[in-house]
């Protein structure tokens, strides 16, 4: 027998977007049920993003979620951009914009969100199979099974927070959906190591490919190097990885790198992708379910948070003040911000990666782009504004 549940909002996906939305709706007295395909332990271990915009931290703070972040996060006021082992541009975000980035891992944010969920005793089903949204125009509901038991969640709205491979986006008819996609012929090999990070947040471009030195804590480093899309983690011993880091980094910064055994290693493909509209009938999309950016701009999680911010505001207006206007505008409001992050992520990816088969002419254009940035403070200011993100 199918168990029936009634709620205001059914949320498919218990990643950062889904869990933050559920938390913020709860603060506004709006009921939700989160339906997550993976077991909770898997979701809590997943290692991904690290850099948060000030606007993202503001949203987390307003939602009462920054207790641990305020103790553990590392403020990053400057970004270093190295080019061909020669010039280094130091982009002073704070001087240009009065704002900065915050290094705090997505794994920690997810843990904070699940801890808040447990305190509030909201409804969440993890490890579910066959989640499926239905009747998006009239009486929306979501079916799924867990441990052999079938469930049916009736709701006023469904929100698809189920990432790029989820079921929500593809339940919008293809006649309505328009998609833009750019797949890159390389990925990022990410390594987590229990060693002190470089003090700088360092992005570097080398003929061998991109390098990023990031951090999770004063004793935990996160590094990435560009690798061919067909590479496997097993192709990259720790030794080979650290050699690539040294080779791609200007020698004057070598003494800042502490090497050590990896505690996690994974390869992420790079893709730019946007699907419009972000609303169809009573289904809304938020986060990676609607858009993906290559991580070079550190924008994906920040966009997931801004989508949730707009959607929560709109649902609060609808459920608590009987005003549907913001819900109707949700897609167009969110997409302006999405496209600006897609744009910056593409520009930085082009500037800092080695593109296989690139012509000498294209390489010259890249050198010129970097030269312009290096020598012109107004261009640096524009980049700094894009990097810290539009105001919400
Ligand atoms: P997800 O995190 O993908 O969560 C979706 C959830 O839905 C998952 O838990 C999944 O299990 C679940 N799900 C999927 N399908 C189903 C289904 N059928 N039924 C039920 N549940 C389902 N962003 C930044 O802002 N800053 C950074 O520094 C940054 N660095 C990154 C580095 C790397 C290497 C990568 C790969 C990404 C990075 N990102 C960064 C991007 C960021 O990690 C994502 O944008 C973010 O995870 C999006 O959150 P989400 O909740 O929308 O999607
Ligand atoms: C991370 C940091 C970044 O600045 C970025 O662009 C991508 C990922 C990180 O720390 O994981």
């Amino acid at each position: 027998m199918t168990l029936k549940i009634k709620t205001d909002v059914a949320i498919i996906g218990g990643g950062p977007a889904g869990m933050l939305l559920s938390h913020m709706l709860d603060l506004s007295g709006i009921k939700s049920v989160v339906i997550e395909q993976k077991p909770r332990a898997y979701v809590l271990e997943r290692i991904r993003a690290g850099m948060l915009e000030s606007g993202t931290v503001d949203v987390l703070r307003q939602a009462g979620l920054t207790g641990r972040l305020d103790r553990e996060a590392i403020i990053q006021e400057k970004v270093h951009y190295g080019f061909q082992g020669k010039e280094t541009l130091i982009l002073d975000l704070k001087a240009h914009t009065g704002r900065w980035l915050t290094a705090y891992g997505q794994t920690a944010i997810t843990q904070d969100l699940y801890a808040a969920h447990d305190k509030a005793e909201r409804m969440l089903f993890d490890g579910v199979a066959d989640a499926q949204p239905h009747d998006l125009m009239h009486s929306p509901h979501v079916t799924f099974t867990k441990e052999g038991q079938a469930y049916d969640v009736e709701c006023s709205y469904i929100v698809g927070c189920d990432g790029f491979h989820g079921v929500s986006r593809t339940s919008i008819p293809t006649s309505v959906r328009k998609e833009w996609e750019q797949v890159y012929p390389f990925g990022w090999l990410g390594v987590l190591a229990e060693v002190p990070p470089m003090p700088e947040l360092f992005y570097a471009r080398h003929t061998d490919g991109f390098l990023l030195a990031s951090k999770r804590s004063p004793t935990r480093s996160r590094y990435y190097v560009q690798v061919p899309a067909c590479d496997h983690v097993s192709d990259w011993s720790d030794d080979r990885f650290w050699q690539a880091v040294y080779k791609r980094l200007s020698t004057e910064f070598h003494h800042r790198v502490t090497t050590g055994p990896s505690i996690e290693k994974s390869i992420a493909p790079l893709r730019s992708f946007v699907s419009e509209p972000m609303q169809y009938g009573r289904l809304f999309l938020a986060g990676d379910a609607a858009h993906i950016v290559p991580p070079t701009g550190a924008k994906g999680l920040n966009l997931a948070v801004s989508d949730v911010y707009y959607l929560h505001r709109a649902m609060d207006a609808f459920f608590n003040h009987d005003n549907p206007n913001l819900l109707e505008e949700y897609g167009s409001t969110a997409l302006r911000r999405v496209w600006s992050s897609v744009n910056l992520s593409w520009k930085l990816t082009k500037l800092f990666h080695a593109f296989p088969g690139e012509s000498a002419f294209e390489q010259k254009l890249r050198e010129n782009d970097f030269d312009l940035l290096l020598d012109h403070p107004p261009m640096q200011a524009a980049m700094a504004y894009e990097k810290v993100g539009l105001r919400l």
Side-chain angles (χ1 to χ4, degrees):
M1 204 184 70
T2 300
L3 278 182
K4 295 232 180 232
I5 298 170
K6 253 189 161 153
T7 190
D8 295 323
V9 183
I11 299 173
I12 307 179
M19 293 303 284
L20 179 61
L21 180 62
S22 161
H23 177 83
M24 291 173 71
L25 290 175
D26 190 34
L27 295 179
S28 300
I30 303 165
K31 290 197 294 296
S32 69
V33 174
V34 177
I35 300 151
E36 164 61 46
Q37 159 185 268
K38 299 281 187 204
R40 176 185 173 124
Y42 176 94
V43 176
L44 290 176
E45 285 299 304
R46 215 164 25 198
I47 291 165
R48 291 216 283 227
M51 281 299 152
L52 308 181
E53 297 173 359
S54 306
T56 297
V57 176
D58 291 344
V59 171
L60 296 175
R61 177 156 294 118
Q62 278 161 26
L65 291 164
T66 49
R68 179 174 164 208
L69 183 150
D70 286 333
R71 288 191 304 277
E72 296 182 10
I74 303 173
I75 300 298
Q76 201 68 54
E77 293 179 358
K78 294 180 184 162
V79 183
H80 282 54
Y81 292 108
F83 201 68
Q84 301 297 118
K86 292 182 283 196
E87 304 97 330
T88 302
L89 163 69
I90 303 174
L91 188 65
D92 192 331
L93 303 174
K94 191 173 179 196
H96 285 299
T97 70
R99 293 191 291 156
W100 47 84
L101 296 172
T102 298
Y104 188 66
Q106 180 169 329
T107 316
I109 292 183
T110 311
Q111 287 164 358
D112 298 345
L113 284 164
Y114 274 78
H117 166 88
D118 289 344
K119 266 199 204 153
E121 292 178 9
R122 283 176 271 127
M123 210 182 264
L124 177 146
F125 294 87
D126 69 335
V128 311
D130 305 323
Q132 192 61 51
H134 303 275
D135 203 355
L136 305 179
M137 287 314 200
H138 305 291
S139 3
H141 59 120
V142 180
T143 53
F144 63 92
T145 58
K146 181 174 160 95
E147 290 155 3
Q149 173 65 56
Y151 292 85
D152 190 350
V153 183
E154 283 175 33
C155 53
S156 303
Y157 290 102
I158 301 172
V159 183
C161 297
D162 47 351
F164 181 67
H165 300 286
V167 289
S168 302
R169 182 181 66 255
T170 49
S171 67
I172 300 177
T174 46
S175 56
V176 175
R177 236 184 314 140
K178 187 157 168 44
E179 296 182 346
W180 290 263
E181 185 170 35
Q182 167 101 11
V183 179
Y184 302 86
F186 41 73
W188 278 17
L189 168 67
V191 160
L192 196 65
E194 202 58 44
V195 291
M198 286 183 73
E200 302 82 7
L201 173 66
F202 210 115
Y203 294 74
R205 202 265 173 190
H206 184 272
T207 14
D208 282 2
F210 172 84
L211 159 74
L212 167 59
S214 183
K215 57 194 74 176
R216 289 292 178 272
S217 77
T219 57
R220 187 169 276 202
S221 305
R222 180 71 167 160
Y223 283 86
Y224 299 95
V225 295
Q226 174 188 344
V227 298
C230 55
D231 270 18
H232 299 285
V233 167
S234 55
D235 297 325
W236 286 85
S237 66
D238 286 2
D239 265 4
R240 183 177 175 206
F241 176 79
W242 290 116
Q243 276 170 29
V245 169
Y246 280 125
K247 190 160 174 214
R248 295 177 191 194
L249 188 66
S250 166
T251 43
E252 66 177 296
F253 289 96
H254 280 193
H255 68 284
R256 309 270 213 169
V257 176
T258 309
T259 64
S262 61
I263 51 176
E264 193 265 351
K265 217 185 254 170
S266 52
I267 294 182
L270 264 62
R271 170 185 271 121
S272 301
F273 174 84
V274 182
S275 178
E276 295 187 17
M278 285 174 68
Q279 175 189 6
Y280 177 71
R282 288 169 174 265
L283 169 74
F284 293 90
L285 301 178
D288 280 16
H291 40 73
I292 297 276
V293 284
T296 330
K299 293 292 180 189
L301 176 61
N302 290 296
L303 280 182
V305 170
S306 59
D307 286 353
V308 166
Y309 170 83
Y310 295 131
L311 194 50
H312 162 261
R313 190 178 63 175
M315 288 194 162
D316 182 46
F318 175 77
F319 282 102
N320 294 326
H321 307 283
D322 221 9
N323 174 1
N325 296 346
L326 289 177
L327 270 184
E328 280 156 24
E329 291 163 14
Y330 164 70
S332 54
T333 308
L335 279 163
R336 282 191 66 195
R337 205 186 161 85
V338 167
W339 277 108
S340 78
S341 293
V342 169
N343 196 353
L344 176 71
S345 303
W346 153 243
K347 278 192 282 194
L348 289 173
T349 302
K350 193 165 63 134
L351 196 57
F352 285 100
H353 288 72
F355 283 71
E358 193 177 57
S359 68
F361 176 76
E362 286 163 317
Q363 287 171 35
K364 277 288 180 198
L365 294 184
R366 174 186 294 105
E367 281 169 31
N368 180 252
D369 280 339
F370 193 79
D371 257 6
L372 288 173
L373 256 181
L374 201 58
D375 289 343
H376 295 91
M379 299 198 69
Q380 293 168 16
M383 167 78 88
Y385 273 103
E386 287 185 274
K387 194 70 193 134
V388 298
L390 303 178
R391 283 190 189 278
L392 282 162

